[in-house]
Amino acid sequence: MKDILTITLNPAVDLSTATDEVEPGPKLRCDPPRSDPGGGGVNVSRTIRILGGQSRALIAIGGPNGDKLGHLLTAEGIAFLPFPAPGETRQSLAVTDRDSGLQYRFVLPGPEWDAERSDAMLDMIADTVAGDCIVVISGSNPPGLPEGFITRVATRLAGCAAKLVVDTSGEALERLTQSAGAAPPLYVLRMDQEEAEALAGRALPARGDSADFAAQLVARGVAEHVIVARGADGSVLVGDGLRLHVAPPPGLPVRSKVGAGDSFVGAFTLALARGAGLGEALRHGTAAAAATVMTEATQLCTREDAERLLPDCTLSEV
């Protein structure tokens, strides 16, 4: 199995609870909170661990919340490499309204970075990556991180055999798609349907529409392979000569969508590290994402559910 390194620049301690009804004004009496380690790359590493694999997690942490995050990771058996963040690790809060079944998610921004701290993280990534491995950058960027940071990572890793898998959003995603040619293409770039439509400037209602847009990004040299996650319709993956789709089994109970994308990336990456092809990895990612939406609050997939759903995640061409 290839080595996997996940990178989380803006991790969080995820708190989740429930109350009878979310309404303004009165004090809302909540259930005892559940605490989980959070952030894109953190959840990718957690999923890999759940599914029986191993990874190393490079995480920027700081302050008492950072200490708590480290304790939570250790308790789950996640091997992590701490990088000193410029301030307190953030928290996030998910509150479920039992009356309506709706979930409210409150996400805090995290500490402000500067160029010096960003350069230090870039050096640590370059020093940590060795040989033929898979490097996953997942999650939001912290405030102040210089534009084009992920492009700089791709440039620094160009001389080794590492494959770079990226799942980001917002300005960082837009910057990546605009900087084609500034660095070697990513191995895989993943985005969701809403992000793809925002970048395309149009609706992408059909699987073929998502695949066509992904093919444009591949042709421009943004990434060798582009994945567009279409929610309940599954995901499409496009690469040179590849236009693939996998949908989850229909009729699954949806309890919480928190962490579904991270579970996808974790299972997808683990399958690649174990030698699976891209289509088979797409099936594993889809099964793990489907298993995650079946769990409560900030819980990720279970290995049993992911393995049970996998046979019904069918690969097809778009």
Side-chain angles (χ1 to χ4, degrees), residues 221-256:
V222 174
E224 295 180 39
H225 309 93
V226 173
I227 296 173
V228 178
R230 293 177 49 83
D233 189 43
S235 295
V236 298
L237 181 150
V238 175
D240 186 15
L242 291 174
R243 290 171 62 99
L244 305 175
H245 172 265
V246 175
L252 297 177
V254 177
R255 294 189 173 92
S256 173

Side-chain angles (χ1 to χ4, degrees), residues 43-299:
N43 283 335
V44 171
S45 282
R46 293 176 68 209
T47 300
I48 290 170
R49 175 70 174 173
I50 289 169
L51 297 178
Q54 295 181 345
S55 67
R56 295 179 298 156
L58 175 53
I59 308 170
I61 57 178
N65 282 339
D67 293 338
K68 182 173 183 178
L69 179 61
H71 291 312
L72 290 170
L73 290 168
T74 299
E76 291 196 16
I78 305 297
F80 69 97
L81 307 172
F83 175 85
E88 180 85 7
T89 296
R90 64 186 176 131
Q91 290 183 320
S92 65
L93 175 64
V95 180
T96 298
D97 181 322
R98 279 191 290 263
D99 183 57
S100 66
L102 297 176
Q103 186 181 66
Y104 297 82
R105 300 170 64 183
F106 303 88
V107 180
L108 302 180
E112 185 88 15
W113 285 49
D114 57 24
E116 182 179 358
R117 192 61 56 105
S118 303
D119 289 344
M121 171 58 90
L122 189 63
D123 290 339
M124 186 169 181
I125 293 171
D127 291 341
T128 304
V129 174
D132 185 13
C133 65
I134 302 177
V135 179
V136 181
I137 301 179
S138 180
S140 62
N141 282 348
L145 191 78
E147 292 184 359
F149 180 82
I150 296 176
T151 299
R152 294 178 65 195
V153 173
T155 300
R156 288 287 291 270
L157 299 183
C160 67
K163 291 181 169 65
L164 187 55
V165 176
V166 175
D167 182 10
T168 189
S169 60
E171 185 178 337
L173 176 60
E174 185 175 354
R175 177 80 176 191
L176 275 174
T177 60
Q178 293 175 346
S179 60
L186 308 174
Y187 184 64
V188 176
L189 174 63
R190 179 189 178 274
M191 65 192 72
D192 64 29
Q193 178 77 356
E194 183 178 348
E195 292 161 346
E197 290 182 338
L199 291 171
R202 63 183 188 278
L204 303 171
R207 296 171 186 173
D209 298 321
S210 296
D212 289 342
F213 173 68
Q216 293 174 14
L217 297 180
V218 172
R220 286 168 45 201
V222 174
E224 295 180 39
H225 309 93
V226 173
I227 296 173
V228 178
R230 293 177 49 83
D233 189 43
S235 295
V236 298
L237 181 150
V238 175
D240 186 15
L242 291 174
R243 290 171 62 99
L244 305 175
H245 172 265
V246 175
L252 297 177
V254 177
R255 294 189 173 92
S256 173
K257 297 180 181 179
V258 177
D262 299 329
S263 293
F264 175 98
V265 176
F268 176 87
T269 302
L270 178 59
L272 290 181
R274 288 172 166 169
L278 288 161
E280 185 65 15
L282 191 67
R283 292 182 63 241
H284 280 267
T286 302
T292 298
V293 303
M294 296 168 57
T295 61
E296 302 287 349
T298 57
Q299 297 177 57

Side-chain angles (χ1 to χ4, degrees), residues 19-45:
T19 189
D20 289 336
E21 183 179 6
V22 177
E23 59 178 330
K27 294 180 179 179
L28 305 178
R29 303 298 178 182
C30 298
D31 292 346
R34 174 189 173 102
S35 296
D36 290 299
V42 167
N43 283 335
V44 171
S45 282

